[in-house]
Amino acid sequence: MASLSAAISHSPHIFSPKSLPHHGKPKKICQSQCRALPLPGRSPICRMSFVSRWESRGTSNTRIFTSVRDVLLDESAEKVQLPKGDTWSVHKFGGTCVGSSERIKNVVDIIVSDDSERKLVVVSAMSKVTDMMYDLIDKAQSRDESYISALDAVLEKHKSTALDLLDGDELASFLSRLHHDISNLKAMLRAIYIAGHTTESFMDFVVGHGELWSAQMLSSVVRKNGVDCNWMDTREVLIVNPTSTDQVDPDYVESDKRLEKWYSQNPSKIIIATGFIASTMQNIPTTLKRDGSDFSAAIMGALFRAGQVTIWTDVDGVYSADPRKVSEAVILRTLSYQEAWEMSYFGANVLHPRTIIPVMQYSIPIIIRNIFNLSAPGTKICHPLFSDKEGAQNVESLVKGFATIDNLALVNVEGTGMAGVPGTAHAIFGAVKDVGANVIMISQASSEHSVCFAVPEKEVKAVAEALKSRFRQALDAGRLSQVAVIPNCSILAAVGQKMASTPGVSATLFNALAKANINVRAIAQGCSEYNITVVVKREDCIKALRAVHSRFYLSRTTIAMGIIGPGLIGSTLLEQLSDQAAVLKEEFNIDLRVMGITGSRTMLLSDVGIELSRWRELQKENGEVADLEKFAQHVHGNHFIPNTVLVDCTADSVVASHYYDWLRKGIHVITPNKKANSGPLDQYLKLRALQRQSYTHYFYEATVGAGLPIISTLRGLLETGDKILRIEGIFSGTLSYIFNNFIGKRAFSEVVAEARQAGYTEPDPRDDLSGTDVARKVIILARESGLKLELSDIPVQNLVPEPLRASASAEEFLQQLPQYDQDMTNNRQVAEDAGEVLRYVGVVDVVNQKGLVKLQRYKKDHPFAQLSGSDNIIAFTTTRYRSQPLIVRGPGAGAEVTAGGIFSDILRLASYLGAPS
């Protein structure tokens, strides 16, 4: 330090009173000169790292100048007592608010238009200036001569701004002070350049100039608008004591004394004060460290006992979550002090926790406002106000917001030798402290078998090495089993004062995470219950944030959807989704976002959601070659949407074979495709087992009765303890239509051709007449009832004449079918002679553990005989419904009802994932 001290002590620019910076109003010569002298609280030069050298040459100079100033001021000014209380409003403007001449004019408009009786304005340096000042020091101590041009850039930024804003004496006065300061800074930086290093005091002194200049300039512009005001160098007033944690603690008693003295000499109803900077008790300049301007505004608010402190920024207020991660985040109108500091600790862009402490003790509210959107009311941070309406707590109001911290690692120290051993935690965290790491979160089981804590990822290597070294003997002896590191973690915190003592909040939170297929690695909750903290994989963080935010009704339940098979049913479903999307968003808070549509040849993908009203047009313009694996990955890969569902509208067994992998990856599946549930029994059982052990949903209501609630009715009976005895029904809308119209003198082939013409049958009617589709529905219901049957176990009466089963085409089949009409006509005549009708039915005989599909005769008063059109009917005979079966009846075929059944499953999924029911 000797070379730096020598360089400074021989610099005429530093110690000549005439050359020292003028940081005051040039109203009186004595006052202006005194402000340039090395006085306590006035010139920060007087106490630096070279203080001992200066004092050895005689400290009497300092005392003489101080006494001269005091005498002059005491004689020239009457004592004016500072009026404290609600008449004062404090405004804090950050660097972006004063980043240009236009923005400074906006600030002046706000100051002037505020109708408070008295106003204190705390101002930061102009945007980027503090970074520029730090850069000056870095360049100087690196012996990079470009610090000179960098300092010129600082000068030019403030000079050009002043020329835009000021004129006359105000401009001349400001530019004079600016040039004095730049001259002194140049000399100091030269000394740092020669020495090759600096001290913290020098650094704090240099970087604090940005606030000095912006405060002086702003006060000049206010005066130019015809409003009298004084500016305050808060180093004269705000006294702080450095701590061992690179922070400072305000000395309120000493600061209050100095404020009273300052105000008695500078009484004004508008004061423009510097943010960020302060002094120590020894009058050494310092800063308030991180978020220092907000902190200084809160301290000044407490010293003045102000009515409120308004923090002006570039956002509309405090959001319920980071809006860059959750687009549906909402502005919170109020936050308690505790909620605000919990959210800020966990990474939310609110306020530094220390900012809240000074105002909290005097119940001074903090208002967060957007200087670029004055119409936004902002967020008020204050003591909670519990109204009568809020007494009836509901789940929406319990959690105020969510915050996240990324780039963390978990350290887990575990071993049986830890249990019941005093001092183990002390030793663990002592080792962590020794390497200077910051512990973000701690979790310990009551068994004391392990201690888990989170640290920044960049510090975890040093922490792990320190712990292994500290516990080497215990690890070698087996008392500790491991010191494990789990990298790539993030913290998610739910914050809300009303969470305290309210049952069910944790359950709701973890349920939302589970349904989004998020694994929780560690948990912590303080006894205050103001926050619940969980650790998740870093890649799951945004997905987890959106899932819990959605679950607590702070945003829509958003589901990423992929539609497979845009044929008749799939395209009808897309039309229904398009028609209903706006209503679902507005009334039910559900956002169904189709991220992809794929057929067998072409697929259409989107990162934000396909415009469903023109999906066919978009598919032609932007379609690409279909790739089912890429399709699923795209739909599921959007981490901004926590829940994914693939809707299979095909009858393809290849697509169905992917269900297991999709469910295993956390993708929900909805389908009318019967192939998976009626395929090989072992694959079906594997699929259902996976579904039951996870929170991934597999819905297939439309596999049996199109839009009819058959599967859900069966499940409801079983889940409530009823026992299924028999299920019997007409499961095919096609065959229902055919036999409902096979009456009178009509030929069977004529009715089949008519059904095909009307679109009731498959393109090849043999697919319906073979009975295979009904058999698949029977096997699905049999398996739902607990029977372990294969499709081959179901005897099926095939209605296709055996010679025609090998016909080359559907047309050839229909041409030859009239040759076999007589057999079916004979069957109808026998039934009519007995007062009966023919119906094609499927039967699940649970008692005898079998199923069958056949053409059956029913009396004309039987419910099955009274169908019309393509209706389906299913009768459940159970222990509760033994004498009179439970009957479900309705349309069982057609694209509209089948798509409606699928849509119903989609909405059921949304309800399970948190949408209001």
Side-chain angles (χ1 to χ4, degrees):
M1 197 62 217
S3 58
L4 179 57
S5 301
I8 293 172
S9 64
H10 287 87
S11 171
H13 295 285
I14 297 297
F15 292 110
S16 169
K18 292 181 181 179
S19 66
L20 285 171
H22 294 259
H23 294 314
K25 299 177 296 179
K27 289 185 177 181
K28 296 183 181 180
I29 294 174
C30 63
Q31 186 174 343
S32 178
Q33 288 174 339
C34 288
R35 290 192 176 196
L37 301 177
L39 306 175
R42 282 296 174 180
S43 173
I45 309 289
C46 66
R47 294 275 185 171
M48 294 291 176
S49 57
F50 53 88
V51 66
S52 60
R53 180 183 179 105
W54 189 15
E55 287 180 344
S56 68
R57 297 169 64 179
T59 58
S60 59
N61 290 339
T62 304
R63 299 184 182 279
I64 290 170
F65 284 133
T66 304
S67 61
V68 169
R69 173 179 180 273
D70 290 344
V71 169
L72 288 170
L73 290 175
D74 287 345
E75 290 176 351
S76 62
E78 295 182 7
K79 282 281 184 181
V80 178
Q81 190 171 3
L82 171 65
K84 295 183 178 181
D86 291 348
T87 59
W88 286 98
S89 67
V90 177
H91 296 266
K92 181 265 172 178
F93 295 96
T96 55
C97 299
V98 291
S100 66
S101 55
E102 284 303 314
R103 291 184 178 181
I104 291 174
K105 290 177 185 176
N106 292 339
V107 168
V108 173
D109 290 341
I110 291 172
I111 295 170
V112 172
S113 62
D114 179 8
D115 58 3
S116 301
E117 185 177 345
R118 297 178 175 88
K119 290 164 273 193
L120 173 74
V121 177
V122 177
V123 63
S124 297
M126 291 181 71
S127 180
K128 308 295 185 193
V129 167
T130 302
D131 290 339
M132 293 170 76
M133 303 303 282
Y134 276 118
D135 185 55
L136 288 174
I137 297 170
D138 290 341
K139 282 182 164 64
Q141 64 182 350
S142 301
R143 294 196 169 98
D144 180 352
E145 290 193 354
S146 66
Y147 79 87
I148 298 172
S149 59
L151 183 59
D152 290 338
V154 173
L155 170 63
E156 183 57 35
K157 182 179 180 74
H158 290 86
K159 182 178 178 180
S160 62
T161 305
L163 289 170
D164 281 347
L165 295 169
L166 303 173
D167 52 32
D169 291 343
E170 292 284 3
L171 175 61
S173 176
F174 176 77
L175 291 179
S176 175
R177 288 192 293 258
L178 177 63
H179 281 289
H180 272 297
D181 290 347
I182 293 294
S183 177
N184 286 324
L185 287 173
K186 192 170 291 186
M188 293 188 70
L189 292 167
R190 179 64 181 171
I192 294 171
Y193 176 88
I194 294 170
H197 65 93
T198 187
T199 66
E200 185 177 355
S201 296
F202 267 61
M203 190 177 299
D204 287 345
F205 172 68
V206 172
V207 300
H209 275 75
E211 278 71 17
L212 293 170
W213 296 326
S214 61
Q216 292 170 34
M217 192 155 35
L218 182 60
S219 64
S220 295
V221 181
V222 172
R223 285 194 295 272
K224 183 182 175 183
N225 278 259
V227 181
D228 187 41
C229 76
N230 284 332
W231 81 274
M232 175 194 290
D233 179 352
T234 48
R235 293 176 301 185
E236 301 176 22
V237 171
L238 188 51
I239 303 302
V240 297
N241 297 311
T243 70
S244 59
T245 57
D246 193 35
Q247 292 183 336
V248 293
D249 290 331
D251 186 329
Y252 289 100
V253 174
E254 181 62 26
S255 298
D256 193 56
K257 290 179 183 176
R258 298 202 182 195
L259 175 60
E260 290 281 0
K261 184 175 181 180
W262 185 94
Y263 190 83
S264 72
Q265 299 159 1
N266 303 275
S268 180
K269 289 190 175 183
I270 298 180
I271 300 171
I272 312 295
T274 56
F276 183 55
I277 56 177
S279 294
T280 67
M281 279 295 292
Q282 295 76 32
N283 299 315
I284 298 174
T286 187
T287 66
L288 298 182
K289 315 304 177 188
R290 178 186 169 194
D291 291 317
S293 293
D294 289 349
F295 192 19
S296 57
I299 295 169
M300 298 306 288
L303 290 173
F304 279 84
R305 308 294 192 269
Q308 70 177 39
V309 175
T310 303
I311 306 291
W312 292 92
T313 180
D314 55 359
V315 293
D316 286 345
V318 180
Y319 284 87
S320 54
D322 187 338
R324 294 167 298 182
K325 298 177 180 178
V326 182
S327 59
E328 297 88 357
V330 298
I331 296 291
L332 302 174
R333 298 299 298 272
T334 62
L335 276 176
S336 71
Y337 295 118
Q338 290 86 352
E339 288 168 338
W341 80 43
E342 289 282 0
M343 289 185 70
S344 63
Y345 177 79
F346 285 101
N349 186 21
V350 188
L351 291 171
H352 192 277
R354 287 173 62 83
T355 302
I356 299 165
I357 296 171
V359 295
M360 183 178 174
Q361 61 181 325
Y362 297 108
S363 298
I364 301 170
I366 298 178
I367 316 294
I368 310 293
R369 293 284 305 276
N370 188 351
I371 194 169
F372 306 114
N373 182 15
L374 299 181
S375 62
T379 299
K380 184 176 184 179
I381 300 171
C382 57
H383 281 304
L385 301 173
F386 296 106
S387 66
D388 293 337
K389 291 181 180 179
E390 289 175 320
Q393 292 182 342
N394 52 66
V395 73
E396 293 98 318
S397 64
L398 297 176
V399 177
K400 272 296 181 68
F402 301 91
T404 58
I405 304 177
D406 294 322
N407 302 319
L408 299 176
L410 278 178
V411 179
N412 186 39
V413 183
E414 65 178 47
T416 54
M418 292 172 58
V421 179
T424 302
H426 177 269
I428 290 172
F429 294 111
V432 176
K433 177 180 178 292
D434 290 343
V435 297
N438 181 31
V439 176
I440 308 295
M441 187 206 83
I442 303 169
S443 179
Q444 179 180 357
S446 59
S447 66
E448 301 183 62
H449 179 68
S450 70
V451 176
C452 172
F453 56 93
V455 297
E457 204 154 34
K458 62 184 179 182
E459 299 173 357
V460 72
K461 184 178 179 182
V463 168
E465 289 175 354
L467 289 171
K468 289 175 182 177
S469 174
R470 172 67 180 79
F471 293 101
R472 175 55 55 201
Q473 185 177 353
L475 286 165
D476 292 342
R479 295 195 306 277
L480 288 186
S481 57
Q482 66 171 344
V483 175
V485 172
I486 305 171
N488 302 318
C489 293
S490 292
I491 278 179
L492 168 65
V495 175
Q497 194 159 353
K498 289 186 183 180
M499 288 162 50
S501 304
T502 303
V505 179
S506 297
T508 303
L509 178 78
F510 291 114
N511 186 258
L513 292 172
K515 287 181 176 180
N517 207 37
I518 305 292
N519 179 46
V520 175
R521 289 179 159 176
I523 304 165
Q525 178 180 347
C527 62
S528 68
E529 300 182 63
Y530 289 163
N531 87 64
I532 302 170
T533 305
V534 298
V535 179
V536 298
K537 292 180 183 177
R538 184 162 58 202
E539 59 265 30
D540 288 340
C541 185
I542 293 177
K543 185 178 178 184
L545 178 62
R546 290 185 63 90
V548 296
H549 192 273
S550 174
R551 183 62 186 88
F552 282 90
Y553 303 101
L554 293 172
S555 70
R556 297 185 179 100
T557 300
T558 307
I559 303 176
M561 298 176 60
I563 307 296
I564 305 169
L568 183 59
I569 293 173
S571 60
T572 305
L573 174 63
L574 287 167
E575 289 173 10
Q576 292 178 357
L577 289 168
S578 178
D579 291 342
Q580 197 69 6
V583 175
L584 290 173
K585 281 185 181 181
E586 197 67 33
E587 297 184 16
F588 298 96
N589 229 9
I590 301 171
D591 184 1
L592 301 177
R593 208 169 295 181
V594 177
M595 312 300 287
I597 301 170
T598 184
S600 58
R601 298 178 181 177
T602 309
M603 67 180 179
L604 173 64
L605 305 178
S606 171
D607 292 326
V608 294
I610 296 168
E611 189 180 343
L612 296 184
S613 61
R614 49 192 297 263
W615 70 267
R616 288 185 177 87
E617 179 185 338
L618 291 170
Q619 189 175 45
K620 290 178 182 177
E621 294 175 359
N622 306 318
E624 54 187 281
V625 176
D627 181 331
L628 195 56
E629 185 174 342
K630 180 181 177 182
F631 178 83
Q633 185 177 355
H634 171 84
V635 177
H636 187 51
N638 190 328
H639 292 297
F640 285 87
I641 300 179
N643 303 295
T644 306
V645 60
L646 292 178
V647 182
D648 174 20
C649 297
T650 73
D652 194 323
S653 57
V654 175
V655 177
S657 68
H658 289 275
Y659 293 177
Y660 184 86
D661 286 336
W662 291 341
L663 291 168
R664 191 169 51 83
K665 291 176 181 176
I667 302 172
H668 307 289
V669 176
I670 293 174
T671 185
N673 187 343
K674 294 175 274 292
K675 297 296 172 64
N677 286 10
S678 62
L681 180 62
D682 60 338
Q683 293 182 20
Y684 166 80
L685 294 174
K686 185 179 176 184
L687 194 63
R688 291 303 306 276
L690 175 64
Q691 179 195 5
R692 289 190 181 101
Q693 70 188 23
S694 71
Y695 279 91
T696 310
H697 297 284
Y698 173 41
F699 294 149
Y700 43 86
E701 183 70 77
T703 56
V704 175
L708 297 181
I710 296 173
I711 298 290
S712 55
T713 299
L714 174 56
R715 283 192 175 174
L717 293 169
L718 291 170
E719 289 168 2
T720 56
D722 204 352
K723 185 177 180 181
I724 307 298
L725 303 176
R726 182 182 179 90
I727 303 172
E728 184 174 357
I730 297 172
F731 296 105
S732 169
T734 302
L735 294 173
S736 177
Y737 178 88
I738 289 173
F739 284 100
N740 286 337
N741 289 278
F742 182 45
I743 55 177
K745 301 297 182 181
R746 301 191 69 185
F748 186 72
S749 60
E750 177 190 343
V751 177
V752 171
E754 179 186 283
R756 185 175 187 252
Q757 185 76 22
Y760 285 112
T761 73
E762 294 294 331
D764 189 335
R766 286 175 295 181
D767 293 339
D768 298 294
L769 296 172
S770 68
T772 304
D773 183 66
V774 176
R776 288 189 181 278
K777 294 176 180 180
V778 167
I779 202 70
I780 290 171
L781 292 176
R783 289 173 175 178
E784 289 288 321
S785 302
L787 303 183
K788 295 183 179 180
L789 299 176
E790 294 282 7
L791 188 60
S792 57
D793 296 330
I794 307 297
V796 178
Q797 182 177 349
N798 193 331
L799 299 182
V800 180
E802 191 168 348
L804 301 184
R805 293 174 189 174
S807 296
S809 66
E811 285 67 27
E812 183 180 326
F813 162 72
L814 289 171
Q815 286 174 3
Q816 297 179 7
L817 183 60
Q819 301 174 26
Y820 302 90
D821 279 343
Q822 193 58 48
D823 289 342
M824 196 61 73
T825 300
N826 293 340
N827 286 333
R828 180 181 63 191
Q829 192 60 49
V830 171
E832 286 181 353
D833 291 346
E836 298 173 336
V837 296
L838 295 175
R839 295 291 184 262
Y840 194 77
V841 299
V843 178
V844 179
D845 185 348
V846 180
V847 175
N848 296 306
Q849 299 190 2
K850 66 181 183 180
L852 58 90
V853 176
K854 65 177 182 178
L855 190 62
Q856 183 99 338
R857 295 189 333 219
Y858 291 92
K859 292 291 185 181
K860 289 186 178 180
D861 60 354
H862 192 280
F864 285 18
Q866 298 170 8
L867 291 185
S868 61
S870 61
D871 280 4
N872 282 5
I873 187 168
I874 297 90
F876 294 94
T877 304
T878 72
T879 52
R880 292 176 189 161
Y881 298 95
R882 188 189 297 266
S883 58
Q884 187 173 354
L886 174 65
I887 290 178
V888 177
R889 173 182 170 175
E896 287 285 338
V897 292
T898 303
I902 300 167
F903 202 164
S904 178
D905 272 348
I906 293 170
L907 296 181
R908 183 153 61 109
L909 173 64
S911 178
Y912 281 23
L913 296 176
S917 57

